[in-house]
Amino acid sequence: MNFDLTPEQDQLRDAVRALGRKYGHSYFVAKAKSGGHTTELWQEAGRLGYLGVNIPTEYGGGGGGITELAIVCEELAAAGCPLLLLVVSPAIAATVINKHGTDEQRKRHLPGLADGSQKIVFAITEPDAGSNFHRLGTVARRDGDDWLLTGRKCYISGVDEAGHVLVVARTEDSSTGKLKPALFIVPTDAPGLELSKLDMEILSPENQFLLYLDDVRLPADALVGESLDAGLPALFSGLNPERITVAAMGAGTGRYAIERASEYTAKRTVWGGKSIGSHQGVAHPLAHAAVQVELARLMIHKAATLYDAGRDLEAGVAGNMAKYAAGEAAALAVDTAVQALGGAGMTTEYGVATLLGAVRAGRIAPVSREMILNFVAQHVLGQDKSY
């Protein structure tokens, strides 16, 4: 059992930390409040190779795994720049295309994903079905050699910044007549695809959208993989990387909040000149939050290690646990930091309340804490399925 990073992973962590601090939380907040995007940070991360650390070297990537990408997600978040598109583009889309795409799809999309010049976002959630792919209403049907996609998607991140969206639909299996999942790489400027921005109470430079697909015509090669049989494995291949990288982003955010609060409480003096951090009523909640964040980081490391070793079933359990732990820890850390700073904690200047919406959302998305508990109860504790 080894808890140490390799020298290369340590170097990656240090380098990404330096990049994140070069921009910092004030940059992130300014972009979010102005309606802008973190384009400069994204492009520089791409040039430095950080966006493609999990993509094979033959396509311009770093040849690493989800462990390396989790490091990137965590360190940027720990610098106050939690980039959600790291999850949907390099973690989900690049993994799906690399593992299940055709040779042509890999050649066409992976180099751009690796250097940051291309973004592919992910669309599974629907207004009625949520993320339950058994009930998805988005349907793909054949029209000659083409496909026609019709349906609706919601809470789709960053579509306005992306050239393509990876859409999960259902299509009829000709041998059984049953609907089965299939994934399609859809250009965001495709005729019949319309976007509607959702107003969210989350301070983020990455926007959320409703997607409307009205007979969006796609060529045959838009289908991910060589056949419809690739649909279900491709869908599941993106879920563990999603959970692990979301968890890493949460852990980084928790670290950032605790660091900001600790700096403040160590220097702030009242009532006799002692720092407020010398009082257990202030120090203990911060210490408790730090413990929870560190425990989450250990589970993230375990989940990423299992995933990169190809132990998918074990990685599924660990990834869900990591996401649960990090979601709870990040929310606790930010809330505790705000409380420790008092009124200053609610100001933009001190940079912790600006994360309240994001960490609260982290307990809901991409899978809610309740659904993770259902998963653990069923698959770890052997309980009957509850839903």
Side-chain angles (χ1 to χ4, degrees):
M1 185 179 295
N2 187 353
F3 293 98
D4 293 327
L5 298 178
T6 66
E8 293 78 13
Q9 290 167 341
D10 264 329
Q11 291 170 9
L12 175 66
R13 186 180 292 281
D14 291 343
V16 176
R17 181 185 298 123
L19 175 65
R21 289 180 175 177
K22 173 183 174 181
Y23 287 87
H25 190 58
S26 58
Y27 164 83
F28 180 89
V29 171
K31 290 293 184 180
K33 288 194 170 185
S34 68
H37 302 304
T38 53
T39 305
E40 301 88 354
L41 173 55
W42 184 271
Q43 290 177 346
E44 187 164 356
R47 287 196 302 271
L48 294 170
Y50 305 150
L51 303 180
V53 289
N54 62 313
I55 293 174
T57 55
E58 63 187 288
Y59 301 110
I66 293 302
T67 298
E68 285 73 20
L69 187 59
I71 289 171
V72 176
C73 291
E74 181 181 345
E75 290 306 321
L76 287 180
C81 298
L83 300 186
L84 182 57
L85 285 186
L86 281 171
V87 176
V88 293
S89 195
I92 300 176
T95 298
V96 168
I97 292 171
N98 181 48
K99 287 194 168 186
H100 299 282
T102 63
D103 287 341
E104 177 57 31
Q105 287 168 345
R106 295 187 191 98
K107 293 174 184 176
R108 187 187 314 161
H109 297 292
L110 290 182
L113 292 174
D115 66 19
S117 61
Q118 183 177 175
K119 296 174 185 174
I120 300 180
V121 296
F122 184 61
I124 181 172
T125 308
E126 295 186 359
D128 296 325
S131 56
N132 180 0
F133 71 88
H134 295 291
R135 296 184 56 199
L136 294 181
T138 300
V139 175
R141 66 184 190 277
R142 285 283 195 185
D143 186 48
D145 292 333
D146 293 343
W147 291 96
L148 292 176
L149 266 63
T150 299
R152 292 185 300 161
K153 299 289 181 180
C154 61
Y155 304 117
I156 310 307
S157 307
V159 187
D160 57 331
E161 301 180 61
H164 295 81
V165 54
L166 192 60
V167 175
V168 183
R170 299 180 73 195
T171 187
E172 187 175 85
D173 185 337
S174 58
S175 61
T176 65
K178 295 182 179 179
L179 292 177
K180 58 192 301 184
L183 278 69
F184 296 87
I185 304 172
V186 182
T188 52
D189 61 357
L193 176 63
E194 294 186 9
L195 316 178
S196 177
K197 184 181 173 183
L198 284 164
D199 290 328
M200 306 291 290
E201 296 299 323
I202 299 173
L203 186 64
S204 173
E206 293 147 330
N207 297 314
Q208 301 293 315
F209 288 87
L210 291 166
L211 269 61
Y212 302 92
L213 300 102
D214 184 11
D215 280 348
V216 175
R217 183 173 293 276
L218 301 170
D221 62 3
L223 175 70
V224 172
E226 301 288 352
S227 72
L228 290 174
D229 292 334
L232 192 59
L235 173 59
F236 279 113
S237 71
L239 298 184
N240 285 338
E242 175 189 51
R243 301 224 190 327
I244 294 167
T245 50
V246 164
M249 191 168 64
T253 301
R255 284 173 51 202
Y256 167 82
I258 292 168
E259 180 180 345
R260 292 303 302 268
S262 298
E263 289 173 352
Y264 179 87
T265 55
K267 296 175 181 177
R268 172 75 168 163
T269 57
V270 293
W271 301 312
K274 295 181 68 175
S275 70
I276 62 173
S278 67
H279 298 285
Q280 292 178 354
V282 175
H284 282 188
L286 285 173
H288 173 65
V291 170
Q292 300 308 306
V293 169
E294 189 61 22
L295 290 173
R297 293 182 74 208
L298 288 172
M299 184 54 77
I300 293 163
H301 182 68
K302 177 180 180 178
T305 300
L306 289 170
Y307 180 84
D308 289 337
R311 296 160 64 178
D312 289 343
L313 291 177
E314 294 165 279
V317 173
N320 275 287
M321 288 183 171
K323 193 274 170 187
Y324 181 97
E328 298 298 301
L332 174 67
V334 172
D335 185 68
T336 302
V338 170
Q339 191 69 24
L341 269 66
M346 295 304 296
T347 66
T348 303
E349 177 186 356
Y350 283 87
V352 284
T354 44
L355 294 165
L356 281 169
V359 294
R360 187 61 187 85
R363 299 175 73 207
I364 300 170
V367 57
S368 71
R369 61 194 300 274
E370 290 76 17
M371 288 305 296
I372 291 176
L373 293 175
N374 285 336
F375 178 91
V376 172
Q378 180 182 348
H379 295 283
V380 178
L381 306 182
Q383 304 303 303
D384 289 337
K385 190 173 182 179
S386 62
Y387 58 95

